[in-house]
Amino acid sequence: MSNAQLASFKIPQIENEPFRHYAPGSQERKGLQAAIDEMKQSLPFEVPIVINGKAVKTGKTAKQIIPSDHAKHLAVYYEADEATVKAAIDGALAAKEAWETMPWNDRAAIFLKAADLVSGKYRYKLLAATMLGQGKNAWQAEIDAAAELADFFRFGVKFIEQMYAQQPDKNFAGSWNRGEYRPLEGFVLAVSPFNFTAIGGNLPGAPAMLGNVVVWKPSPAATYSNYLVYQLLVEAGLPAGVIQFVPGPPPEVVAQAIGHPSFAALHFTGSTQVFKKLWKDIAFNLDIYKGYPRIVGETGGKNFHLVHSSASVTNAVLQSIRGAFEYSGQKCSALSRLYVSSSVWKNGFKDLLVKETKKIIVGDPTDFATFNGPVIGRPAFERITGYIEKAKKAGGEILAGGTWDDSKGFFITPTVILSKDPKSITFVEEIFGPVLSVYVFEDSDWEKTLELVDTTSEYALTGSIFADDRAALIQATNKLRNAAGNVYYNEKCTGAVVGQQPFGGARASGTNDKAGSISIYYRFVSARSIKENFVGLEDYSYPSNLV
């Protein structure tokens, strides 16, 4: 469909979505509570595969459990089989031409409308699904499924507008140089995680905004909230086939997608081990592809707080509690290793850390008093509690927590482990749960501790430096230059905001393409340079040819 371009459009002013705080007696708390009650009364929900805009139901189903009450399940979803995945890929490729040739302002309008649906009509429903299905409390669901998701869509439109505006600023007389940012040739595979509904929307959404078509494989543990995201995109006007919603067994769906000749890119968030395997598999398949696939991934973290002797005790403690235990430590950016100078530790840090950690309320995430909900499922529960047992056997001292209960939900108390061995297992390996390992260093060993922080883990995602001494901040920043892709001063190592702190890390933590910035959008385009000549040649020879 052709459309006359009669103006150069400018998108509306983009701002971050304001947070709602759900204080007692507020209208937003009443609205959210009503959505939670309605969802509890209506579950379980049926979630189909969606191919070319049509619901597909195979002969195989699976359940998304409620991790705080594992006898119940939030949804029953259909799992894609080989024929369904093939249909999804074929349908996406068939939708590609019409989508990539749609005028930019029309594509932009779809995602701007989707953002308004997130922040308005769907807000409480998205939060309720995230709280029940993924175990987040109200605040964690708000900053994820409402604010960050809306920000991804709105700022994505802003960043793409800025990217399209990047044009050659030099032209020889009689010619005009231009650049265009083509969608990739083929389809993008988006593989999203359980822990952020917003990432579920952004992984398929970012490449789709640019005119790409996407096969989206959501996490089994976030299927229902992700289906709501898909539904609101359709309501916003996303054409059928542009994003194919394909829940199912991850190894089979992903293997079939990356084995297709038209596979053009992987947009991934998940475990380091899975990402490394996919990279190897893609490399093995290289000869069958039309081009070199783009690989964009954010994986794990072993994130640190480093507390200098000049640090403010109260701030460092409270920031560490939030960084380690919000969402039960199930953020890629969550704090898991804490290095504290001896003088600070003895001057109230230890006592305040233990006291405040023991006050944390663990329970049903739909109870507004709850700070920590459950971990996501049985495998996570067993892995995390196994690490606590290993830490104890290695000589670690449990200062707080260290208990758990899976009789109804998968609950683990926030656990603080003091260790004299800074290379023990819980400092090195990713746990992805509410476990904080602490090492106390002598003030005189500051420089040695910088080296320790930098070399202990294979990851390099986030980290925080607490110091009122500016020279110490500068020294640590320089020494830890490659230890974290997001570094914070006197602030917890979690909570990156779209458009403010672009997110991503290097080393084993991923490709550091910075979600929440313009950078990531360049990864899903293939630029083409255009030169148009206005003055014809009268002779093929050059002046240097004259004799």
Side-chain angles (χ1 to χ4, degrees):
M1 179 186 297
S2 62
N3 187 40
Q5 184 174 340
L6 304 177
S8 179
F9 301 107
K10 185 174 178 60
I11 65 168
Q13 180 70 27
I14 300 298
E15 303 289 349
N16 290 107
E17 174 67 20
F19 298 135
R20 297 184 185 178
H21 295 279
Y22 303 95
S26 64
Q27 287 302 118
E28 56 258 33
R29 179 177 285 203
K30 293 176 183 177
L32 178 55
Q33 186 64 63
I36 293 168
D37 293 343
E38 181 181 354
M39 193 166 286
K40 284 181 175 180
Q41 292 169 5
S42 302
L43 61 82
F45 300 93
E46 184 180 72
V47 178
I49 304 157
V50 186
I51 308 297
N52 304 329
K54 297 180 180 179
V56 175
K57 299 178 181 180
T58 59
K60 187 177 180 183
T61 61
K63 296 178 180 178
Q64 181 188 353
I65 66 161
I66 297 176
S68 59
D69 189 359
H70 51 61
K72 299 177 182 178
H73 54 282
L74 179 62
V76 175
Y77 62 92
Y78 289 86
E79 293 192 304
D81 54 21
E82 184 176 346
T84 312
V85 176
K86 181 181 185 303
I89 295 171
D90 292 345
L93 294 173
K96 182 173 176 57
E97 182 177 359
W99 177 240
E100 71 177 39
T101 55
M102 180 182 286
W104 159 238
N105 60 281
D106 293 295
R107 293 204 313 270
I110 290 170
F111 283 93
L112 291 175
K113 181 176 181 179
D116 283 350
L117 289 171
V118 169
S119 60
K121 177 181 177 179
Y122 280 80
R123 190 186 203 107
Y124 298 145
K125 193 172 184 180
L126 283 167
L127 265 64
T130 303
M131 294 167 75
L132 286 168
Q134 290 141 267
K136 292 195 171 185
N137 67 13
W139 175 248
Q140 295 301 315
E142 164 69 17
I143 62 177
D144 166 22
E148 187 171 47
L149 180 55
D151 284 353
F152 273 137
F153 289 161
R154 292 188 181 122
F155 277 87
V157 170
K158 174 183 177 179
F159 294 140
I160 293 170
E161 182 185 63
Q162 292 174 345
M163 184 175 73
Y164 285 170
Q166 297 298 310
Q167 295 294 319
D169 57 6
K170 297 294 183 181
N171 301 278
F172 285 140
S175 66
W176 182 19
N177 297 312
R178 306 190 289 278
E180 64 178 13
Y181 299 89
R182 303 171 298 178
L184 301 178
E185 188 177 11
F187 69 93
V188 176
L189 172 65
V191 181
S192 58
F194 77 85
N195 60 337
F196 277 87
T197 301
I199 297 176
N202 190 51
L203 263 56
M209 286 185 205
L210 293 156
N212 291 289
V213 292
V214 185
V215 174
W216 176 16
K217 213 298 295 175
S219 167
T223 300
Y224 186 60
S225 67
N226 286 191
Y227 181 56
L228 293 177
V229 174
Y230 176 81
Q231 288 182 312
L232 71 86
L233 284 167
V234 172
E235 185 172 334
L238 188 76
V242 171
I243 295 177
Q244 309 279 44
F245 185 76
V246 189
E252 290 84 349
V253 173
V254 172
Q256 189 174 346
I258 66 174
H260 195 283
S262 292
F263 169 71
L266 172 67
H267 201 188
F268 175 92
T269 296
S271 78
T272 302
Q273 293 72 27
V274 171
F275 188 56
K276 286 181 176 180
K277 181 183 186 305
L278 293 180
W279 196 303
K280 292 174 184 177
D281 292 343
I282 291 166
F284 183 81
N285 292 339
L286 200 57
D287 289 338
I288 72 171
Y289 301 136
K290 292 181 179 179
Y292 296 95
R294 307 289 177 87
I295 303 175
V296 178
E298 189 266 302
T299 62
K302 196 65 187 169
N303 311 297
F304 64 86
H305 279 190
L306 174 61
V307 183
H308 184 258
S309 59
S310 66
S312 167
V313 171
T314 300
N315 180 60
V317 168
L318 298 181
Q319 296 281 0
S320 296
I321 288 172
R322 282 187 171 182
F325 301 129
E326 286 182 335
Y327 191 36
S328 296
Q330 296 175 112
K331 299 182 182 183
C332 303
S333 58
L335 169 65
S336 61
R337 50 192 180 115
L338 173 61
Y339 303 84
V340 186
S341 71
S342 177
S343 60
V344 171
W345 182 253
K346 295 173 183 176
N347 193 32
F349 192 106
K350 175 185 177 181
D351 293 340
L352 187 60
L353 175 65
V354 172
K355 174 186 173 184
E356 294 299 320
T357 299
K358 289 181 176 180
K359 287 163 57 176
I360 291 174
I361 296 174
V362 180
D364 182 349
T366 65
D367 182 338
F368 286 93
T370 295
F371 190 85
N372 270 40
V375 298
I376 195 63
R378 173 72 60 189
F381 180 86
E382 294 179 350
R383 183 187 69 250
I384 297 162
T385 56
Y387 272 109
I388 296 172
E389 292 290 359
K390 290 177 183 178
K392 290 193 290 187
K393 290 179 181 177
E397 179 186 356
I398 306 296
L399 299 182
T403 61
W404 48 84
D405 182 359
D406 63 347
S407 58
K408 182 176 181 181
F410 299 112
F411 296 106
I412 301 173
T413 56
T415 299
V416 179
I417 303 170
L418 179 64
S419 176
K420 294 181 180 179
D421 178 7
K423 292 292 184 76
S424 62
I425 190 169
T426 58
F427 284 92
V428 176
E429 296 184 14
E430 186 180 36
I431 302 172
F432 219 64
V435 179
L436 176 60
S437 297
V438 183
Y439 177 71
V440 179
F441 62 91
E442 296 299 324
D443 291 14
S444 58
D445 287 337
W446 169 250
E447 292 189 9
K448 292 181 181 178
T449 304
L450 295 177
E451 179 71 18
L452 182 67
V453 173
D454 187 44
T455 59
T456 294
S457 168
E458 66 175 329
Y459 298 101
L461 190 52
T462 72
S464 298
I465 305 162
F466 291 85
D468 291 339
D469 182 337
R470 178 58 57 171
L473 278 176
I474 294 171
Q475 183 184 23
T477 299
N478 290 333
K479 181 63 179 179
L480 301 175
R481 187 178 309 280
N482 295 307
N486 283 52
V487 66
Y488 301 83
Y489 297 160
N490 299 309
E491 167 77 21
K492 63 184 173 65
C493 61
T494 64
V497 176
V498 174
Q500 297 193 36
Q501 301 94 29
F503 187 75
R507 294 181 179 169
S509 291
T511 55
N512 199 21
D513 290 296
K514 291 302 184 192
S517 77
I518 194 172
S519 301
I520 198 165
Y521 295 92
Y522 284 97
R523 299 288 280 132
F524 297 107
V525 294
S526 179
R528 180 165 73 165
S529 298
I530 301 170
K531 177 183 178 182
E532 183 172 0
N533 178 50
F534 299 139
V535 181
L537 287 175
E538 296 180 359
D539 188 357
Y540 70 84
S541 63
Y542 296 94
S544 60
N545 297 126
L546 297 177
V547 294

